[in-house]
């Protein structure tokens, strides 16, 4: 396949149609259960919705990738197997998987459907990636956001599969300790139940001075002035107070958005096959704007023209953008 395939988010059937119409080469989505890492009310697909969406996408020449990127708890793997069976029956083009048991089941049961290794698998070395390729016939790896372009270039030389990288959206990383924080407060796990900060545990409180606090399971995660837009209470992106600090601070990570638009030519040169846009929880207007902008940029790169990326600051989380590891490591 050609380099620079554009992989776009589809949190709902309407968002999928929007992404397809805006020029996505492929869309990724999940079922309405714990098998995918965006298991929120109002998101995702029923089997009937996915069947209609696959038909719509394929009619337009767009692939559909089904995310089965969470980890089954002991004794409950049947839900993931059933999801794989249903996805294969409905004609999805690839499964995005993290768990080795799920990968093994699909490789043995549905060998005709491509396997893509999720960023949730945290495979960032050639040795780890080759293991998945050799044992489960993985055709593509979604690399963690922590790698620089030289690191990606070197990995590409040593692995037998395609590379996909995130280029825009949430700057969240992968399976790691901070994902256990929401489980500690709410009893639900990002990596097993597929939900971070479940909506049923979220509450916003307006105060007499016009300010607002966002809470998760009764704990205040952040406070916002009367003129500030209140963010969703995610523990690792909350602001906290401490005796040794005069102002609230981000203890783990400031809410920012990844934007590698300026690095697209370098990523192509490094051998990246697919660019991934994050945002299955975002609106149709977000999907339309971001996908359209990157569609034009990728087309320009493919044609040998200089890409002219529109200003995407208004669509970023926290109104700030970053190039991630590329800002902190000298790679040229």
């Amino acid at each position: 396949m050609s380099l620079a395939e554009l992989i776009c988010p589809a949190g709902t059937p309407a968002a999928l149609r929007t992404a397809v119409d805006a020029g996505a080469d492929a869309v990724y989505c999940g079922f309405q259960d714990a098998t995918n890492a965006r298991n929120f009310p109002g998101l995702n697909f029923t089997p009937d919705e996915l069947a209609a969406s696959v038909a719509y996408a394929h009619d337009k020449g767009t692939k559909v990738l089904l995310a089965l990127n969470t980890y089954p708890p002991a004794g409950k793997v049947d839900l993931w197997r059933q999801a794989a069976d249903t996805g294969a029956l409905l004609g999805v083009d690839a499964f995005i998987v993290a768990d080795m048991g799920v990968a093994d089941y699909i490789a043995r049961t549905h060998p005709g459907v491509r396997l893509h290794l999720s960023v949730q698998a945290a495979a960032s070395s050639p040795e780890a990636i080759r293991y998945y390729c050799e044992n489960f016939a993985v055709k593509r790896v979604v690399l963690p956001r922590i790698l620089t372009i030289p690191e990606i270039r070197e990995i590409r030389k040593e692995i037998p599969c395609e590379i996909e990288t995130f280029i825009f959206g949430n700057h969240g990383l992968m399976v790691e300790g901070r994902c256990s924080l929401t489980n500690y407060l709410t009893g639900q796990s990002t990596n097993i139940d597929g939900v971070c900060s479940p909506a049923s545990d979220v509450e916003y409180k307006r105060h007499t001075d016009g300010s607002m606090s966002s809470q998760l399971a009764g704990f205040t995660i952040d406070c916002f002035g009367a003129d500030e837009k209140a963010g969703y209470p995610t523990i690792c992106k909350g602001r906290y107070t401490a005796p040794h600090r005069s102002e609230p601070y981000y203890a783990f990570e400031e809410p920012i958005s990844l934007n590698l638009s300026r690095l697209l030519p370098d990523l192509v040169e490094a051998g990246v096959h697919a660019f991934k846009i994050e945002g299955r929880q975002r609106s149709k207007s977000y999907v339309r704007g971001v996908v359209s902008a990157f569609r034009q940029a990728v087309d320009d790169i493919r044609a040998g023209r200089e890409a002219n990326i529109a200003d995407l600051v208004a669509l970023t989380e926290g109104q700030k953008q970053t190039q991630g590891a590329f800002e902190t490591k000298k790679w040229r």
Side-chain angles (χ1 to χ4, degrees):
M1 61 161 281
S2 62
L3 297 182
E5 185 179 37
L6 192 59
I7 315 297
C8 303
T12 63
L16 181 144
R17 293 191 296 272
T18 298
V20 170
D21 293 343
D25 292 311
V27 291
Y28 64 99
C29 54
F31 284 126
Q32 294 178 352
D33 56 36
T35 60
N36 88 94
R38 289 293 184 272
N39 181 24
F40 289 91
L43 284 184
N44 302 313
F45 293 67
T46 66
D48 287 343
E49 289 172 339
L50 184 60
S53 297
V54 168
Y56 184 88
H58 285 178
D59 186 59
K60 304 280 188 176
T62 305
K63 302 181 186 72
V64 177
L65 318 180
L66 184 63
L68 305 180
N69 58 341
T70 49
Y71 290 83
K76 297 183 179 180
V77 72
D78 283 351
L79 180 63
W80 280 256
R81 291 176 176 173
Q82 291 166 6
D85 293 342
T86 302
L89 180 65
L90 297 180
V92 301
D93 298 280
F95 294 108
I96 307 170
V97 300
D99 180 79
M100 281 189 265
V102 174
D104 178 66
Y105 176 79
I106 295 174
R108 289 185 292 104
T109 310
H110 305 291
V113 185
R114 286 170 58 101
L115 272 182
H116 293 183
L117 189 63
S118 171
V119 68
Q120 291 294 98
S124 58
S125 70
E127 292 79 7
I129 296 167
R130 285 199 301 267
Y131 176 85
Y132 285 96
C133 295
E134 293 166 1
N135 288 277
F136 311 116
V138 163
K139 296 295 190 291
R140 177 183 295 175
V141 58
V142 185
L143 291 179
R145 298 164 176 87
I146 58 175
L147 297 172
T148 65
I149 286 178
E151 290 169 337
I152 293 172
R153 186 183 294 114
E154 290 305 310
I155 288 173
R156 179 70 188 93
K157 295 176 183 177
E158 298 184 43
I159 62 173
C161 70
E162 300 166 3
I163 286 177
E164 183 174 312
T165 60
F166 283 91
I167 58 167
F168 192 86
N170 178 24
H171 192 238
L173 300 178
M174 53 192 179
V175 171
E176 55 177 28
R178 76 176 80 177
C179 293
S180 299
L181 294 172
T182 183
N183 187 30
Y184 177 77
L185 289 190
T186 69
Q188 295 193 63
S189 165
T190 306
N191 302 314
I192 295 177
D193 303 295
V195 57
C196 171
S197 298
S200 58
D201 289 287
V202 170
E203 185 178 4
Y204 295 92
K205 288 191 175 181
R206 179 73 70 179
H207 305 290
T208 55
D209 61 356
S211 64
M212 179 179 288
S213 61
S214 60
Q215 300 186 345
L216 182 67
F219 291 88
T220 298
I221 304 301
D222 208 338
C223 294
F224 305 89
D227 58 345
E228 287 185 283
K229 181 180 178 181
Y232 197 79
T234 304
I235 296 176
C236 65
K237 296 180 181 178
R239 282 182 292 190
Y240 302 95
T241 57
H244 64 287
R245 288 178 176 264
S246 59
E247 298 289 338
Y249 73 107
Y250 293 104
F252 301 97
E253 179 184 355
E254 185 177 358
I256 55 178
S257 180
L258 183 72
N259 186 355
L260 300 187
S261 57
R262 293 182 178 87
L263 299 179
L264 295 182
D266 300 289
L267 290 167
V268 171
E269 184 274 331
V272 174
H273 295 84
F275 296 144
K276 189 166 195 171
I277 297 171
E278 191 273 342
R280 282 193 284 150
Q281 295 166 259
R282 301 300 190 110
S283 67
K284 289 192 300 179
S285 61
Y286 170 91
V287 171
R288 183 181 299 108
V290 175
V291 173
S292 297
F294 278 102
R295 173 76 278 156
Q296 182 62 54
V298 169
D299 287 347
D300 287 341
I301 291 170
R302 285 175 171 172
R305 299 186 296 264
E306 183 177 353
N308 181 21
I309 291 290
D311 185 2
L312 299 172
V313 173
L315 296 172
T316 62
E317 180 183 19
Q319 303 301 300
K320 292 185 178 181
Q321 299 184 45
T322 181
Q323 292 183 158
F326 305 103
E327 288 187 347
T328 58
K329 295 181 181 180
K330 184 177 180 181
W331 56 271
R332 284 193 180 275

